[in-house]
């Protein structure tokens, strides 16, 4: 009757989103303070004050018809120019306005670039564990997503397996650093080696392999760790950025794609991505928030808040007997489940009103993800519950 | 290399958008006051004052984390409830919060519902002339769009041809009233007859045929004409609405779908549309503007401004010798080209800095579209140019 694909997807719909809805129901039933919801990456740190100031300035000084109107599908020229300048200053790149395409968040950006690149049957590789929505984004354009198995020692990408899996059908590789769900930041060494492999395979197959860098967590890095800018290491890199986390604006759906001149067929890709942005029904990124973020390019949420959460939750979980690598970025912990069936573990956690997401949602069973973008008090109050939970498993 | 479909689409990209870009270039070259750009449906009437007030109220009184954060993919419950109440009051319907799905404009809504409904090869019908983007929206989900030929006498939908063309493969019919590009409002008589035909064909084929009502122009109707609410006439109606025109917010990408309980499989469609909204990368409609429009449900742009434009342009064109039906809604005139090849006519108009769109963009060659959502002065100053143009054709 209706779309069979959609019926199947609806049946197997996002475990994360299902838990978000469940969390809301539990909060109503037991009181929000008695539910410890670590399920969704919904920033709890408010947007920096600059955002509010920018909104006020825009609605009081700029022309309403321009602020809320259509512009080129790629976005306002001045906004795109300001973003290019800011990137060039920070990373020593040399982007111009034409290399920036404003998008409806990073999710919108990924859909635009996949629509632009993929022919039916093309393969896209990514590294497990990975954000489960990639599967749908690639399937939307009849591509095939294959996951390079995880290196569960370090959760750095498994480059030997990547080398084995790359094929003449590989159109793109999606990477996500700082990573959801592990919090790992790819090291420069890893990136240099990955670029070498991709370059060699391009030559071997006489194809272009695009590296799609999904970067919503770029600004969330701790302990002074650097997050290398991938276009500098590999020519065929396309960046998808989002202000969802850096400015705590996930609901506003504002981000951009960077399509560098160095990428193969970059002119064609820029034009086609523009059209894709329009015909996928985005038309353009929300107009006023394009102008808002242009005024907030040097602003950032209070990353220290997340850092304190990270330290407290990480140390508390270790103390309770759980094991987990210490993340350097994003706001997730990827914790080893004490039993193989991590879904059963997530169910057990629910008894303590602890909401956590099974690793199988990220193609990495045996682990669970905790999003620590929550109130510090939630972590403090949840830790005794985690201790009780640990006892159930004799940790 | 990159997507072949996208390469073809990029080559044949929207004539309307191309003209929008050309208009911007001409304005730079000749001065904005010397270019008469009737190409794009970009409202020139500012958003009502209520929008600015709502933004100020929200950023000053509501919690930033809530205002800019994720919510359920369908949108904020209170916003959806307020929209349902407002529709029920205006149209005597009985929608609840669950029947409303907030979308990234009407374009986003159409993509969500087409993704939800279509299996590859399913047919969608629409009435020529029609908004050319429908073709891409349907093709995005491997559907096939077929156009019922225009009734160029009245530009009311050609129901006899509809009856002939409906087949067991027809999954949906898209209607757009008030209409882009003709400005026609479907009469109640037309709608009743269309509903009868669809019901009879559903029975004959033992299928469900969904009527998708694309309603961005609902609030723009003149001379006191009524725009009937289609869910009251046909059970399997799904409405796509947008605030782009009613509140002059086209850049903000805010609208909604109505999926009534009366529609076949409505529960399944509601759930699947939710998932489609997420996996198409919209995730949710922009959050702050969801809250803004909930505060502006009784607000409306100054429709009288468009009405004055309509009267002046319509009368002026008739005086110059052109022929055109008088539109009752939207902000377009669909004018008969004095020569069969209306693209040549559009090119001729460019010499006078008149930018108008060929009817072949709407699957109705021999006509041209003028969007009169422009400054009144533009119309006044353009009319002498239209007169000169008419003389070229001995009108």
């Amino acid at each position: 009757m209706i779309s069979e694909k959609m019926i199947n997807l609806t049946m197997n719909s996002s475990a994360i989103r299902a838990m978000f809805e469940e969390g809301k129901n539990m909060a109503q039933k037991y009181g929000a303070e008695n539910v410890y919801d670590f399920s969704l990456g919904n920033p709890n740190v408010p947007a920096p004050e600059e955002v509010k100031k920018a909104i006020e300035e825009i609605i009081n000084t700029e022309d309403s018809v321009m602020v809320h109107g259509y512009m080129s599908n790629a976005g306002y020229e001045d906004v795109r120019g300001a973003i290019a300048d800011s990137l060039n200053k920070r990373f020593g790149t040399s982007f111009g306005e034409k290399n920036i395409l404003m998008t409806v968040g990073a999710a919108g950006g990924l859909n635009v670039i996949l629509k632009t690149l993929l022919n039916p049957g093309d393969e896209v590789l990514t590294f497990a564990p990975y954000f489960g929505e990639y599967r749908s984004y690639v399937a939307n354009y009849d591509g095939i997503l294959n996951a390079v198995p995880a290196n569960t020692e370090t959760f750095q990408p498994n480059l030997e397996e990547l080398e084995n899996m790359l094929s003449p059908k590989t159109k793109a590789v999606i990477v996500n650093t700082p990573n959801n769900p592990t919090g790992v930041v790819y090291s420069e060494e890893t990136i240099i080696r990955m670029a070498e492999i991709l370059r060699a395979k391009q030559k071997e197959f006489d194809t272009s392999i695009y590296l799609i860098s999904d970067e919503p967590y770029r600004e969330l890095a701790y302990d002074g760790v650097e997050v290398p800018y991938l276009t500098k290491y590999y020519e065929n890199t396309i960046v998808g950025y989002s202000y969802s986390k850096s400015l705590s604006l996930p609901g506003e759906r504002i981000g951009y794609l960077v399509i560098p001149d160095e990428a193969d067929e970059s002119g064609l890709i820029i034009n086609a991505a523009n059209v894709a942005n329009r015909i996928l029904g985005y038309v353009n990124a929300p107009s006023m928030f394009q102008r808002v973020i242009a005024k907030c390019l040097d602003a950032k949420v209070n990353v220290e808040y997340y850092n304190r959460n990270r330290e407290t939750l990480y140390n508390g979980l270790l103390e309770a007997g759980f094991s987990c690598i210490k993340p350097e970025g994003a706001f997730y912990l990827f914790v080893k489940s004490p039993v193989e069936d991590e879904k059963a573990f997530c169910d057990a956690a629910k008894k303590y009103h602890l909401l956590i997401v099974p690793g199988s949602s990220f193609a990495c069973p045996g682990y669970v993800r905790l999003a620590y973008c929550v109130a510090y008090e939630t972590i403090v109050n949840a830790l005794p519950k985690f201790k009780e939970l640990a006892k159930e498993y004799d940790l």
Side-chain angles (χ1 to χ4, degrees), chain A residues 126-140:
Chain A
T126 195
F127 296 96
Y130 66 88
F131 182 44
E133 300 286 285
Y134 292 162
R135 217 172 311 131
S136 294
Y137 299 165
V138 170
N140 283 341

Side-chain angles (χ1 to χ4, degrees), chain A residues 99-112:
Chain A
N99 303 112
I100 309 293
L101 173 77
M102 303 306 298
T103 60
V104 171
L110 289 180
N111 274 276
V112 164

Side-chain angles (χ1 to χ4, degrees), chain A residues 133-302:
Chain A
E133 300 286 285
Y134 292 162
R135 217 172 311 131
S136 294
Y137 299 165
V138 170
N140 283 341
Y141 313 105
D142 300 318
I144 294 155
L145 184 75
N146 288 318
V148 178
N151 166 353
T152 53
E153 290 298 308
T154 62
F155 286 110
Q156 287 280 327
N158 190 332
L159 297 181
E160 276 176 33
E161 284 288 347
L162 172 71
E163 199 165 8
N164 293 333
M165 288 177 71
L166 284 163
S167 84
K169 293 216 63 94
T170 312
K171 180 62 69 64
V173 176
I174 303 178
V175 293
N176 172 224
T177 164
N179 185 262
N180 173 14
T182 65
V184 158
V185 176
Y186 293 8
S187 69
E188 188 175 34
E189 196 191 337
T190 294
I191 290 162
I192 290 171
R193 179 72 193 118
M194 182 165 62
E196 283 168 359
I197 293 169
L198 291 173
R199 254 184 235 114
K201 290 292 179 179
Q202 285 191 137
K203 209 167 163 189
E204 181 185 337
F205 304 140
D206 193 21
T207 59
S208 300
I209 304 173
Y210 294 94
L211 183 64
I212 300 174
S213 181
D214 177 27
E215 306 199 345
Y217 302 102
R218 164 162 290 281
E219 320 308 338
L220 304 187
Y222 312 108
D223 303 332
V225 73
E226 290 266 332
V227 183
Y229 205 78
L230 297 192
T231 64
K232 295 164 66 183
Y233 298 86
Y234 182 65
E235 300 70 25
N236 278 335
T237 299
I238 289 163
V239 177
Y241 187 83
S242 161
Y243 292 92
S244 293
K245 278 74 184 184
S246 61
L247 294 178
S248 283
L249 301 173
E252 304 299 355
R253 317 306 304 128
I254 182 78
Y256 60 80
L257 285 172
V258 184
I259 304 166
D261 287 342
E262 294 77 16
D264 294 342
E265 305 275 14
S266 84
L268 191 55
I269 293 176
I270 288 171
N271 289 338
N274 245 302
V275 175
N277 203 27
R278 197 185 77 228
I279 67 171
L280 286 174
Y282 303 115
V283 183
N284 54 251
S287 54
M288 194 185 81
F289 272 91
Q290 289 189 41
R291 310 205 65 76
V292 169
I293 58 96
K295 288 176 181 286
C296 299
L297 292 175
D298 295 322
K300 215 188 328 192
V301 293
N302 179 6

